[in-house]
Amino acid sequence: MTATPTGWSRSDLTNGVRRARPLSWQTPPIAPRRRNARRRGAFTKDDDPVTTSAIQRKLVPTLDFLLFDWLSLNALLERPRYQDHSDETCRALMRAASDIAAGLFEPGNRVSDMEEPYIGPDGEVVLPATTHRAWKAYRSFGLMGASHDDEVGGSQLPRTVDMAIRVLFSAAGPNLLPILLTESNAALILAHGTEQQRRVFALPQVECRWTGTMAMSESQAGSSVADILTQATPDGEEFDKDLLGPRYRIIGEKMWISGAEHTLTENIVHLVLAKIPDTDGTVSAGTGALSLFIVPKFIVGPASEILERNDVALIGLNHKLGNRGIPNTALSFGGREAGPGGPKGALGYLVGRPGEGLAQMFHMMNAARAEIGLLASAIGYAGFAVSLDYAKTRLQGRPRGSRTPTQVPIVEHADVKRMLLAQKSYAEGGIALAMYVAKLLDDQQTGSAEDRRHGGALLDILTPVLKSWPSEWCLEGNSLAIQVLGGAGYTRDFPVEQYWRDQRLNMIHEGTHGIQAIDLLGRKVRLRGGECLTALGATIEGTIRSAREAEFATEADALERAWTSVLETTDKAWASGEAHDALANATPYLQGFGHVVIAWIHLSLALAAKTSTHPEAAGRMAAMDYFFAYELPRVGAWLDVVASHQNLCRDVDAAVL
Amino acid sequence: MTATPTGWSRSDLTNGVRRARPLSWQTPPIAPRRRNARRRGAFTKDDDPVTTSAIQRKLVPTLDFLLFDWLSLNALLERPRYQDHSDETCRALMRAASDIAAGLFEPGNRVSDMEEPYIGPDGEVVLPATTHRAWKAYRSFGLMGASHDDEVGGSQLPRTVDMAIRVLFSAAGPNLLPILLTESNAALILAHGTEQQRRVFALPQVECRWTGTMAMSESQAGSSVADILTQATPDGEEFDKDLLGPRYRIIGEKMWISGAEHTLTENIVHLVLAKIPDTDGTVSAGTGALSLFIVPKFIVGPASEILERNDVALIGLNHKLGNRGIPNTALSFGGREAGPGGPKGALGYLVGRPGEGLAQMFHMMNAARAEIGLLASAIGYAGFAVSLDYAKTRLQGRPRGSRTPTQVPIVEHADVKRMLLAQKSYAEGGIALAMYVAKLLDDQQTGSAEDRRHGGALLDILTPVLKSWPSEWCLEGNSLAIQVLGGAGYTRDFPVEQYWRDQRLNMIHEGTHGIQAIDLLGRKVRLRGGECLTALGATIEGTIRSAREAEFATEADALERAWTSVLETTDKAWASGEAHDALANATPYLQGFGHVVIAWIHLSLALAAKTSTHPEAAGRMAAMDYFFAYELPRVGAWLDVVASHQNLCRDVDAAVL
């Protein structure tokens, strides 16, 4: 059944597989893990000849600057955890990733948009052949989960390098792969699962043999997760004797599930939030009743071997304005009729304990939010690189007063340079923030106790900023990329229109802007007595001090004023102590806060650039100059409505809208 | 040949019609024009039963307030020109237009997006049946060109009412009709054509029997019109004896021509800018060499009767990200081989005199720019109305601290109300500005000499604002409409994603933002010794005085500060007298200027609302409150870079980008 224009194609497939039978388990030996970083990337020679691209040509040196000249990757690589890696191997990995990204991901990205996923005659979701090829190449490349411990299939690659490689793929083909959620799904199971769950459900994902999803939202429960209706009931009297964890039957419907159906891999691991009814059959309201379950598409044995189809059925594909290559699904769990006396529901295995679901899901959610920030920044960068390339070759107009017969490249016009500098400052600012967050994650594993405490506080407060800021401003950047190309920009002859569409989802999925705003102002700035805000303030003030010493006094003063304003605004917002009052303008607060954080990032980058001989250094100065002249002055308009308790939006009668 | 995924489908059609033969003319009597406003709209009964819609339900009263409570339409209708019209007939026309818009345009708008125009087997551009039905209904409605004089097929309807009706259609189906350019094409010919040209080429457009285009851009000449290469050479020795005007042969290719191929009407009138070579065969550079030609798709006789196909061929369709229902074409003029000894080139008739082309085209261009502002505002309004409707019915979340089992409509959340108020202030501000401009046009025809002089100055300076401001801010509004709907917003289940895509073209076509900015700061503010700026200042100051008397002192002060800042910034920008220096930040100037103009509009609307009992009055207050609290404070960040001569964008070396 193919897609219908009304936006939904309801699948009428009946999976035709038998109901799951009770399983018995033995733990087989797992083959020793031999993969390590030196061998990763070696597979690329078997793939197609690579091409180069405007995006990758520009992006690789940008990331190189961030890694080596800003984040001091060489110093990080001295730490014992990373002994298998050197600056040379990291750079070689980057180059190899860039080749695959340019050769397979970039061409496939447009195809994935034109050939939207649909439900084929056999009931399976059909993705373009180019997507299958890109996935195969990515899988052979072997970098999924490379930052995990050796013992769980990783190769202890620094998260900073892992993040940089992910930027390369994301800029080339944001539509192609369910990488993002697979990585964080595996990470959640590795963090919270039992030894068996880690082996059976996480390792195949780290090996790219399976993919993963986050199955949280329901039609009536989007931002309001407390309203989830999906239920999980113990599967038989011996439900808690299963080697894979306490076994439940899951019944319910989930909505907006990315990557939940495809044939790229032999299995898909859904992490499902559901409620376990009390003994009297009632279900509690609220998020405290949520538990987390591993629900595989195919039920598997103790060696991860495929047994039979679980009762998880695709009930529809959403047709989206962008990011169309990733199937976005509605799923039914336990929709089949039970056989005589047999249990009804999809088989699922509890992770951790009942009631811990939301807390556990936040392990995945926080990672996913950071990755949305990275993805948004990467798409912003792609638009920047393509429009810069166009601007350098497109001839149109002349300098004022000139009467030369030849037109000049449009990059010579001040207004075009303004649009390019804006894009540059948005995309590079976002990527740098994502890399900074990756460095904090590296410190969580290998830093001093003080590093870990301080970094943990920064991670808490920077996550809503990383989720929200690039998704808003790189959308603006992608719009400017269209504007640079003029009429050509709105046609399918160039990729910039697709970037802009792809980008639009990022301000919504994995927690909308409004949700991030409440997380920041409602929770993070007050967490642990304001520890996170204090930690960020200390870090920013350190940069301000260094900037003064490095003759960036003007920028240092501007940033100090802006940060002081953030702190004063935070206090004023919470003056009454009432959330109702404080959060009336949470989104403008998030916007102002985000711009100040990115200004700090740009100043920090300029400090590194000042003493660097890297070819990218001059560009960092221009981006900072732009951001401080054109962007930072916007902050006042956002923060003032918060500080002055502007209550129009809260109090206005909806009837007059 | 159908569309190919690469964005272009090259037509291989050979039109198969003979080369144009020399024509002889007689002027037949034209049937007396009997149509008038009382009969217009009478045809709608024959059309489909109408439906109502969230958009039209909300938009009709909004326009009613603007017409009667703000622009004092009743007073205008007292003027002799409008003697056939009354408040009742105007309201009846609005209702009838709204019914057609809801019943035919809204459903057809989505279809036109899904069924993109393509080149059919017979070489004609195929549009969906729904588009044909909507066009038929619009044609029967009989309002094209209704504001023109009775004697040229119009019915002397006030432009304000005409504009309001156009808003209704534009909000319902921005993709459906080539109305916009047909109206302004006819207006140009009526203004600058000969009596014969008016009868033969303009009247069929006013009667909706033909449509029109503006054929200006070429691949190498987009914003830089001086670089047009299309040439026109006199057609034979007696070329200037043709009754339809001096006859030329046109050879060249045009790009980005909207509505240049379709079968909605039997003929299409292209207005083509081309250069007439000097006697030595050379062509001058610059815009002074441009002349304007009427080049019909089908050559016609003196009673507008179709004779044979002109040598105008479709060479490709652009595939766009939005506004897909309007075919966007590349055209070849004179592409056929000439017969033995026969002339080569498409037949075209000179309008006015050689070298006047660009000035004449600006008659059409200014009208088109105003209509883009109207269209952008209408699309913004559509998104606002749909997202408001959704917000009132979608249940999600609860007030802070509440534990009620029932979720509340999301319109109760402060952040959702913020997004709705923003959209409301953008869309209603844009529509009001468009209506204000229409009122100025009415005054041009019926006002006192002083009204006309003052209004002409305002028209000059407000045109770049009306072209640019709604296209930027209603795009932001359309993005917020998606955000209000959350995940549903990015699916094709709701129209808001299409509005956002449709909107994106408006910041580009008919002169990009950058071009408007140069027009405003480079030309309009200095025109005739600053007359336009002075006229606008006097008008704004009048509103400020009235606001003080009406107890809007806070808003009056804020607007006065902002306007003073605009004037000071203008002076500082031009301090050196060098355009190179003044225009380095022309776009931020345009942005700041635009926000101040819209703040003035909102204050003016609130003044009208204060003494009105109209049900819409309260909404106007809320929109003004929002705009002054959240939007006007943004102005400083834009104007400061202009006033401080921030030269980063002008001077930065493109190599470091």
Side-chain angles (χ1 to χ4, degrees):
Chain A
M1 187 180 179
T2 54
T4 57
T6 53
W8 270 99
S9 57
R10 291 252 159 208
S11 162
D12 55 358
L13 70 147
T14 52
N15 288 314
V17 293
R18 285 162 302 154
R19 203 166 53 259
R21 59 176 168 76
L23 303 168
S24 64
W25 300 104
Q26 282 190 321
T27 308
I30 295 186
R33 314 218 54 76
R34 293 200 208 87
R35 304 163 76 184
N36 64 44
R38 295 191 199 287
R39 292 184 56 244
R40 285 176 191 273
F43 299 91
T44 60
K45 290 198 182 59
D46 300 333
D47 285 301
D48 287 287
V50 293
T51 62
T52 186
S53 79
I55 300 168
Q56 300 290 324
R57 266 199 311 277
K58 185 138 190 73
L59 186 50
V60 171
T62 296
L63 292 168
D64 193 87
F65 175 87
L66 294 178
L67 284 172
F68 293 97
D69 291 65
W70 186 50
L71 294 177
S72 309
L73 180 61
N74 278 320
L76 188 75
L77 291 173
E78 298 296 318
R79 297 181 184 172
R81 178 179 173 84
Y82 310 122
Q83 60 180 337
D84 280 350
H85 307 280
S86 70
D87 57 346
E88 283 175 23
T89 58
C90 291
R91 284 196 166 105
L93 277 174
M94 299 274 293
R95 281 193 302 273
S98 176
D99 285 348
I100 298 177
L104 288 171
F105 278 54
E106 279 189 36
N109 196 51
R110 173 57 88 180
V111 176
S112 75
D113 183 67
M114 302 296 293
E115 301 178 17
E116 204 179 4
Y118 65 95
I119 301 171
D122 60 353
E124 293 286 359
V125 170
V126 181
L127 298 177
T130 43
T131 298
H132 283 267
R133 289 174 62 209
W135 174 253
K136 183 164 162 276
Y138 182 81
R139 180 175 170 165
S140 301
F141 190 55
L143 267 188
M144 178 76 82
S147 60
H148 289 303
D149 297 350
D150 277 343
E151 68 187 41
V152 295
S155 56
Q156 299 184 181
L157 188 69
R159 290 292 295 258
T160 39
V161 180
D162 186 48
M163 191 75 95
I165 289 171
R166 212 164 289 226
V167 171
L168 294 168
F169 284 112
S170 298
N175 271 285
L176 285 181
L177 299 185
I179 297 171
L180 185 158
L181 292 169
T182 300
E183 163 65 20
S184 48
N185 180 306
L188 186 154
I189 296 173
L190 288 171
H192 296 288
T194 63
E195 177 60 25
Q196 286 288 353
Q197 288 172 337
R198 291 154 57 104
R199 282 171 184 260
V200 174
F201 296 110
L203 293 195
Q205 295 192 71
V206 173
E207 292 167 353
C208 266
R209 293 191 291 116
W210 300 356
T211 60
T213 78
M214 171 163 54
M216 192 159 80
S217 298
E218 299 174 7
S219 292
Q220 81 296 341
S223 295
S224 180
V225 289
D227 290 283
I228 281 174
L229 294 177
T230 298
Q231 294 195 12
T233 49
D235 183 36
E237 294 200 354
E238 302 220 313
F239 77 99
D240 55 353
K241 301 292 188 296
D242 197 312
L243 283 175
L244 290 184
R247 201 175 62 239
Y248 285 75
R249 293 283 174 174
I250 316 290
I251 298 179
E253 291 189 3
K254 293 288 178 180
M255 182 65 166
W256 311 115
I257 315 303
S258 288
E261 268 298 345
H262 58 74
T263 57
L264 295 173
T265 54
E266 62 181 355
N267 206 357
I268 300 172
V269 177
H270 307 294
L271 281 170
V272 179
L273 275 187
K275 292 179 178 177
I276 303 171
D278 294 339
T279 43
D280 62 357
T282 61
V283 174
S284 306
T287 55
L290 293 167
S291 302
L292 186 67
F293 300 88
I294 296 169
V295 187
K297 174 180 173 181
F298 284 97
I299 296 165
V300 295
S304 303
E305 71 275 21
I306 302 294
L307 298 178
E308 61 186 325
R309 183 95 189 204
N310 202 355
D311 185 4
V312 182
L314 179 68
I315 51 177
L317 287 176
N318 283 306
H319 296 293
K320 297 175 289 181
L321 74 93
N323 199 224
R324 290 154 57 112
I326 305 288
N328 185 292
T329 67
L331 292 181
S332 163
F333 293 86
R336 285 185 230 147
E337 284 307 307
K344 178 176 164 67
L347 262 191
Y349 307 95
L350 181 69
V351 180
R353 283 173 302 191
E356 291 180 344
L358 194 61
Q360 290 165 344
M361 194 59 119
F362 260 93
H363 190 107
M364 181 169 187
M365 182 62 92
N366 280 329
R369 287 180 174 176
E371 298 222 34
I372 292 294
L374 175 155
L375 175 67
S377 306
I379 300 173
Y381 197 94
F384 164 56
V386 169
S387 62
L388 175 62
D389 193 55
Y390 181 90
K392 286 181 171 175
T393 53
R394 165 72 176 169
L395 304 179
Q396 191 75 179
R398 294 163 187 80
R400 295 231 138 231
S402 162
R403 288 205 163 261
T404 58
T406 316
Q407 301 194 67
V408 298
I410 60 171
V411 75
E412 297 302 328
H413 301 310
D415 197 47
V416 173
K417 284 195 276 195
R418 180 187 62 82
M419 294 190 279
L420 291 167
L421 277 170
Q423 290 182 69
K424 182 180 179 72
S425 78
Y426 301 152
E428 293 182 0
I431 290 174
L433 178 61
M435 300 284 284
Y436 185 86
V437 162
K439 175 66 161 49
L440 294 176
L441 293 171
D442 283 331
D443 282 342
Q444 291 296 300
Q445 291 188 300
T446 60
S448 66
E450 174 51 23
D451 278 353
R452 290 203 298 277
R453 195 199 54 75
H454 180 74
L458 290 180
L459 280 173
D460 277 336
I461 201 163
L462 289 177
T463 297
V465 177
L466 179 54
K467 165 63 176 70
S468 63
W469 195 89
S471 71
E472 177 171 1
W473 292 97
C474 291
L475 180 68
E476 173 65 17
N478 286 136
S479 183
L480 289 173
I482 294 175
Q483 196 70 16
V484 168
L485 270 70
Y490 60 67
T491 69
R492 293 203 292 266
D493 294 354
F494 290 89
V496 291
E497 64 88 20
Q498 184 185 345
Y499 297 146
W500 183 69
R501 289 186 290 108
D502 289 346
Q503 184 73 275
R504 185 61 189 83
L505 278 70
N506 290 326
M507 215 155 52
I508 295 175
H509 54 194
E510 317 307 351
T512 63
H513 242 45
I515 293 294
Q516 304 306 315
I518 292 171
D519 182 42
L520 178 65
L521 182 56
R523 211 171 81 85
K524 295 296 175 59
V525 300
R526 310 182 88 204
L527 204 61
R528 302 189 289 273
E531 183 200 6
C532 304
L533 196 61
T534 304
L536 180 59
T539 307
I540 290 177
E541 282 153 20
T543 303
I544 289 171
R545 277 193 302 277
S546 304
R548 289 221 170 87
E549 291 162 14
E551 296 169 26
F552 286 129
T554 310
E555 289 78 10
D557 290 348
L559 181 59
E560 188 165 54
R561 279 194 304 275
W563 180 249
T564 302
S565 175
V566 166
L567 294 178
E568 289 172 359
T569 301
T570 313
D571 285 344
K572 286 178 185 167
W574 280 104
S576 74
E578 296 291 329
H580 178 58
D581 200 30
L583 301 181
N585 289 291
T587 299
Y589 178 86
L590 176 78
Q591 292 173 303
F593 194 102
H595 252 52
V596 175
V597 166
I598 300 295
W600 156 61
I601 291 282
H602 277 295
L603 184 54
S604 173
L605 290 165
L607 281 171
K610 193 160 194 293
T611 56
S612 164
T613 56
H614 199 287
E616 283 290 302
R620 311 274 67 260
M621 296 291 186
M624 178 190 74
D625 287 345
Y626 171 83
F627 203 86
F628 274 77
Y630 289 78
E631 298 292 335
L632 190 56
R634 297 180 185 223
V635 169
W638 288 311
L639 295 186
D640 285 353
V641 292
V642 188
S644 66
H645 286 259
Q646 172 53 256
N647 280 331
L648 170 69
C649 297
R650 190 191 66 186
D651 296 340
V652 70
D653 182 354
V656 309
L657 294 178
Chain B
M1 185 180 179
T2 54
T4 56
T6 53
W8 271 96
S9 55
R10 291 252 161 210
S11 162
D12 56 358
L13 70 146
T14 53
N15 288 314
V17 293
R18 285 163 303 154
R19 199 166 56 260
R21 58 175 169 78
L23 303 169
S24 63
W25 301 104
Q26 282 189 322
T27 308
I30 295 186
R33 314 219 55 76
R34 292 198 209 87
R35 305 161 76 182
N36 64 43
R38 296 192 198 287
R39 292 184 57 241
R40 285 176 191 272
F43 299 91
T44 59
K45 290 199 180 61
D46 300 335
D47 285 302
D48 287 286
V50 295
T51 62
T52 186
S53 78
I55 299 169
Q56 300 290 324
R57 266 199 311 276
K58 185 138 189 73
L59 185 50
V60 171
T62 296
L63 291 168
D64 193 87
F65 175 86
L66 294 178
L67 284 172
F68 293 97
D69 292 64
W70 186 51
L71 294 177
S72 310
L73 180 61
N74 280 318
L76 188 75
L77 290 172
E78 298 296 317
R79 297 180 184 173
R81 178 180 174 85
Y82 310 122
Q83 60 179 339
D84 280 350
H85 307 280
S86 70
D87 57 346
E88 283 176 21
T89 60
C90 291
R91 283 196 166 107
L93 276 175
M94 298 274 294
R95 281 194 302 274
S98 176
D99 285 348
I100 298 178
L104 288 170
F105 278 54
E106 280 189 36
N109 196 49
R110 172 58 88 182
V111 176
S112 76
D113 183 67
M114 302 295 294
E115 301 178 17
E116 205 179 3
Y118 65 95
I119 301 171
D122 58 354
E124 294 285 1
V125 170
V126 181
L127 298 178
T130 43
T131 298
H132 283 266
R133 289 175 63 211
W135 174 254
K136 184 164 161 277
Y138 182 80
R139 180 175 170 166
S140 301
F141 190 55
L143 267 187
M144 178 77 82
S147 60
H148 290 302
D149 297 350
D150 277 343
E151 68 188 42
V152 296
S155 56
Q156 299 185 179
L157 188 69
R159 290 291 294 258
T160 39
V161 179
D162 186 49
M163 191 75 96
I165 288 172
R166 212 165 289 225
V167 171
L168 294 168
F169 284 112
S170 299
N175 271 285
L176 285 182
L177 299 186
I179 297 171
L180 185 159
L181 292 169
T182 300
E183 162 66 21
S184 47
N185 180 307
L188 187 154
I189 296 173
L190 289 171
H192 297 287
T194 63
E195 176 61 24
Q196 286 287 353
Q197 288 171 340
R198 290 153 58 101
R199 282 172 183 258
V200 174
F201 296 110
L203 292 196
Q205 295 192 69
V206 173
E207 292 168 353
C208 266
R209 293 191 290 117
W210 300 356
T211 60
T213 78
M214 172 162 54
M216 193 159 81
S217 298
E218 299 175 6
S219 293
Q220 81 295 341
S223 294
S224 179
V225 289
D227 290 283
I228 280 175
L229 293 178
T230 297
Q231 294 194 12
T233 49
D235 183 37
E237 293 199 353
E238 301 219 314
F239 78 99
D240 55 353
K241 300 292 188 295
D242 197 310
L243 283 174
L244 290 185
R247 200 175 61 239
Y248 285 75
R249 293 283 175 174
I250 316 290
I251 297 180
E253 290 190 3
K254 293 287 178 181
M255 181 66 167
W256 311 117
I257 314 304
S258 287
E261 268 297 346
H262 58 74
T263 57
L264 295 173
T265 54
E266 61 180 355
N267 206 359
I268 300 173
V269 177
H270 307 294
L271 280 170
V272 179
L273 274 187
K275 291 179 178 176
I276 303 171
D278 295 337
T279 44
D280 62 357
T282 61
V283 173
S284 307
T287 55
L290 292 167
S291 302
L292 186 67
F293 300 88
I294 295 169
V295 186
K297 174 179 174 181
F298 284 96
I299 295 165
V300 295
S304 302
E305 71 275 23
I306 302 293
L307 297 179
E308 61 186 325
R309 183 95 189 205
N310 201 354
D311 186 4
V312 182
L314 178 69
I315 51 177
L317 287 176
N318 283 307
H319 296 292
K320 297 174 289 181
L321 74 93
N323 199 224
R324 291 154 59 110
I326 305 289
N328 185 292
T329 67
L331 292 181
S332 163
F333 293 86
R336 286 186 229 147
E337 284 307 306
K344 178 176 163 69
L347 263 191
Y349 307 94
L350 181 69
V351 180
R353 284 173 302 191
E356 291 180 344
L358 193 61
Q360 290 166 344
M361 194 59 117
F362 260 93
H363 190 107
M364 182 168 186
M365 182 63 91
N366 280 329
R369 287 180 175 175
E371 298 221 34
I372 292 294
L374 175 154
L375 175 67
S377 305
I379 300 174
Y381 197 93
F384 164 57
V386 169
S387 61
L388 175 62
D389 193 55
Y390 182 89
K392 286 182 172 175
T393 53
R394 165 72 175 168
L395 304 178
Q396 191 74 181
R398 293 162 186 80
R400 295 232 139 232
S402 161
R403 289 207 161 260
T404 59
T406 316
Q407 301 193 66
V408 298
I410 60 172
V411 75
E412 298 302 327
H413 300 311
D415 197 47
V416 173
K417 284 195 277 196
R418 180 187 62 82
M419 294 190 280
L420 292 166
L421 277 170
Q423 290 182 69
K424 182 180 178 73
S425 77
Y426 301 152
E428 292 182 0
I431 290 173
L433 178 61
M435 300 284 284
Y436 185 86
V437 162
K439 176 66 161 48
L440 294 176
L441 292 170
D442 282 331
D443 282 340
Q444 291 296 298
Q445 291 187 299
T446 59
S448 66
E450 173 52 24
D451 277 353
R452 291 203 298 276
R453 194 199 54 75
H454 179 74
L458 289 181
L459 280 172
D460 277 336
I461 202 163
L462 290 177
T463 298
V465 177
L466 178 54
K467 164 62 176 71
S468 64
W469 195 89
S471 71
E472 177 170 1
W473 292 96
C474 291
L475 180 68
E476 174 65 17
N478 286 136
S479 183
L480 289 173
I482 294 175
Q483 196 70 19
V484 168
L485 270 70
Y490 60 67
T491 69
R492 293 203 292 266
D493 294 353
F494 291 89
V496 291
E497 64 88 20
Q498 184 185 346
Y499 297 147
W500 184 68
R501 289 187 289 107
D502 289 346
Q503 184 72 277
R504 185 61 188 84
L505 277 70
N506 290 327
M507 215 155 52
I508 295 175
H509 54 195
E510 317 308 351
T512 64
H513 242 46
I515 294 293
Q516 303 307 315
I518 291 171
D519 183 42
L520 179 65
L521 182 56
R523 211 171 81 85
K524 295 297 175 58
V525 300
R526 310 182 88 204
L527 203 62
R528 301 189 289 274
E531 182 200 7
C532 304
L533 196 60
T534 304
L536 181 59
T539 308
I540 290 177
E541 282 153 20
T543 303
I544 290 171
R545 277 194 302 276
S546 304
R548 289 222 169 86
E549 291 161 14
E551 296 169 27
F552 288 130
T554 309
E555 290 78 10
D557 290 348
L559 181 59
E560 188 165 54
R561 280 194 304 275
W563 180 248
T564 303
S565 175
V566 165
L567 294 178
E568 289 172 358
T569 301
T570 312
D571 286 343
K572 286 179 185 167
W574 280 104
S576 75
E578 296 289 331
H580 177 60
D581 199 31
L583 301 181
N585 289 291
T587 299
Y589 178 86
L590 176 79
Q591 292 172 304
F593 194 102
H595 252 52
V596 175
V597 165
I598 300 296
W600 156 61
I601 291 282
H602 277 295
L603 184 54
S604 173
L605 289 165
L607 281 171
K610 194 160 194 293
T611 56
S612 164
T613 56
H614 199 286
E616 283 290 301
R620 312 274 64 261
M621 296 292 185
M624 178 190 74
D625 288 345
Y626 171 83
F627 204 85
F628 274 77
Y630 288 79
E631 298 292 335
L632 190 57
R634 297 180 185 223
V635 168
W638 288 311
L639 295 185
D640 286 352
V641 291
V642 187
S644 66
H645 287 260
Q646 173 53 257
N647 280 331
L648 170 69
C649 297
R650 189 190 69 185
D651 295 340
V652 70
D653 182 354
V656 309
L657 294 178

